[in-house]
Each structure stands twice: as structure tokens, then as C-alpha cells.
Amino acid sequence: LDAITAKYYPRPGNAPKHPTTMVFYFKTRCGQYTIYMGKDKYENEDLIKYGHPEDCWFHVDDLSSAHVYLRLHAGQTMDDIPEDCLTDCCSLVKANSIQGCKKSEVYIVYTRWKNLKKTASMVDGQVGFHRPENVRRCKIAKNNTIVRQLEKSKEELHPDLAQEQQARMREIQKQNKAQRILDQKKKKMEELEIKREKEERSYDRIVGGETSVSDMNGTADATAAEDYEDDFM
């Protein structure tokens, strides 16, 4: 542990401005999603802190294990996780549990990263949940074939997680701002259309009313003329 600390978290005098964390990245078997996890519980602390809104967290239920994350596409929810991707994440987290890897099957809990709750009293690697009712649970059997397939895509990187999170948050803010502008324009157009239709209906009523009066006047004049002619016959 001291060697790891010295390598990735140098002493204050030699510390870089933004210390990086060792993270293992994997590609799902379908190739559409990224799975990642930290080297140990200390690395997991940074992953808990610097996740993205699209991330889903996986852990073996009631046993020590790695913290495995699945990065979904923007706008997706846990309901959108493909079945094979769910199996990939559960198989990987089971394989990276000292006790869980020895069992034929275990239960896995998973939830959105934003549902993870960390308090000062918790030890490294320990988390709670803001909303326990949003945590899901499933059973996974041992599957070394899937784990070996995932291991082939394994890549060890040392990202600046804080910087990546900030960049993602800025991107989301930019997208939200653009969407708000579009929504405001749409609302304005709808209000103008409602106003135009209202004005058209009002104009039709006015024109229709004038025509009716004119018709009535014409009929009255014709009747008066007939009466006048009768007086001379």
C-alpha cells in the first residue's frame, strides 16, 4: 500500500496539481459501452467522488468487492441497460470480490452514481444511498468465459477524474442552456400562433356581424319599396 501511495500520490512537496488515479477500463461485449473500476478501495474513493451523471454503480451485495461502473449514454436510465451489459457488469464485479469469486452465484446491487451517499464517518470504499428504494438487486452465476472476454479489452489509465467530471458538467450545462433557448423560442411561437388565431376569430365575427346588418337593411328597403308601390296601385 505504501508503494502504491508513493507512486500515485506523491509527497506534498512533489505532488502534481491534479493527482491522477489508476483506473481499469473495459469494453462491454457489444462494444457500445464502457465499464470501469478502481484498483482498490482507496482508488474507489475518487470514483465515488468524481462520477458522471450517466454512470451506474455495481457492487456484490453484503460482501467486499470492487466498485464497478457502467457509463450509459446521455439520457439513458437503468431501464435502458441491455441485458448482456448488465451481465457483463455483474460478472466482472463478482470476479473482483475475494469472497464472491469463490461462490457459484451471488447477488449484485446496482444504482445510479448520483444515488451514492458518502459521509465523513464512513471508511474508505464504504457508501450508502440517498434513496435506498432506487437500488436494484439481481443474481449472477459464475461465468469465467464472460470475464475472460472482458479482460481482453482491459486498459489501465491514469485519468484526472476531477477534470473529466468538470468538463462533463460544463458540457451538460451548455446543452441545458441550448435546450432552454429552444424551449423559450417554441413557447414564444406557440403564444404568437394562439394570438394570431384569436385575432382571426375576432375579425371573422366582426365581418360576419356587418354582413348580417347589411342584409337586414337590404331586406327592409325592399319591403318599404313594395309597400310604397302598392299605395299607388
Side-chain angles (χ1 to χ4, degrees):
L1 178 59
D2 290 338
I4 294 174
T5 302
K7 183 175 182 180
Y8 298 108
Y9 295 93
R11 300 300 179 188
N14 300 318
K17 186 175 181 180
H18 298 290
T20 57
T21 302
M22 180 190 289
V23 182
F24 298 128
Y25 291 90
F26 306 83
K27 275 293 182 183
T28 55
R29 287 175 295 155
C30 67
Q32 300 299 312
Y33 297 89
T34 296
I35 302 173
Y36 68 95
M37 67 180 187
K39 177 179 173 60
D40 53 37
K41 65 181 181 180
Y42 301 106
E43 307 282 348
N44 285 334
E45 285 299 296
D46 283 342
L47 300 186
I48 294 169
K49 185 176 181 180
Y50 296 117
H52 291 200
E54 297 83 12
D55 292 345
C56 282
W57 170 91
F58 292 78
H59 197 276
V60 177
D61 195 18
D62 293 329
L63 293 176
S64 175
S65 77
H67 292 214
V68 169
Y69 294 82
L70 172 66
R71 182 151 293 166
L72 295 175
H73 300 155
Q76 289 189 317
T77 69
M78 289 196 295
D79 292 332
D80 299 315
I81 301 176
E83 193 64 32
D84 60 333
C85 292
L86 185 62
T87 300
D88 289 349
C89 294
C90 292
S91 298
L92 189 61
V93 73
K94 179 186 182 304
N96 284 275
S97 169
I98 295 175
Q99 294 174 282
C101 69
K102 300 173 184 177
K103 298 179 178 293
S104 59
E105 58 183 25
V106 296
Y107 280 97
I108 306 296
V109 291
Y110 63 103
T111 190
R112 298 301 294 265
W113 165 78
K114 61 185 179 182
N115 193 33
L116 299 181
K117 180 181 179 180
K118 187 74 179 182
T119 64
S121 62
M122 293 178 176
V123 299
D124 289 332
Q126 182 182 6
V127 296
F129 308 107
H130 294 290
R131 294 186 176 181
E133 67 273 15
N134 290 343
V135 179
R136 300 186 184 184
R137 189 170 182 260
C138 64
K139 183 187 291 186
I140 188 72
K142 191 171 187 176
N143 194 322
N144 291 330
T145 300
I146 290 178
V147 174
R148 283 195 294 267
Q149 286 179 296
L150 295 173
E151 287 286 346
K152 289 179 181 179
S153 68
K154 183 178 179 180
E155 187 176 10
E156 179 185 318
L157 299 175
H158 303 272
D160 187 328
L161 296 175
Q163 189 178 66
E164 288 186 356
Q165 186 190 63
Q166 291 171 3
R168 178 58 186 142
M169 292 305 180
R170 285 194 297 269
E171 183 181 2
I172 291 174
Q173 290 174 353
K174 184 177 179 180
Q175 292 171 347
N176 289 342
K177 182 178 179 180
Q179 187 60 51
R180 284 196 300 271
I181 293 174
L182 287 175
D183 291 342
Q184 289 171 357
K185 287 183 178 179
K186 182 179 178 181
K187 183 178 179 181
K188 184 66 175 177
M189 292 298 293
E190 290 174 347
E191 290 174 348
L192 290 174
E193 180 63 19
I194 292 173
K195 182 179 180 181
R196 183 186 65 80
E197 292 177 352
K198 184 177 180 180
E199 289 175 348
E200 286 182 352
R201 288 194 297 269
S202 178
Y203 176 77
D204 289 341
R205 283 196 298 270
I206 294 173
V207 173
E210 290 176 348
T211 301
S212 298
V213 171
S214 176
D215 291 343
M216 290 175 64
N217 290 336
T219 302
D221 292 343
T223 302
E226 291 177 356
D227 292 342
Y228 179 76
E229 291 175 354
D230 289 342
D231 290 340
F232 286 91
M233 292 180 66

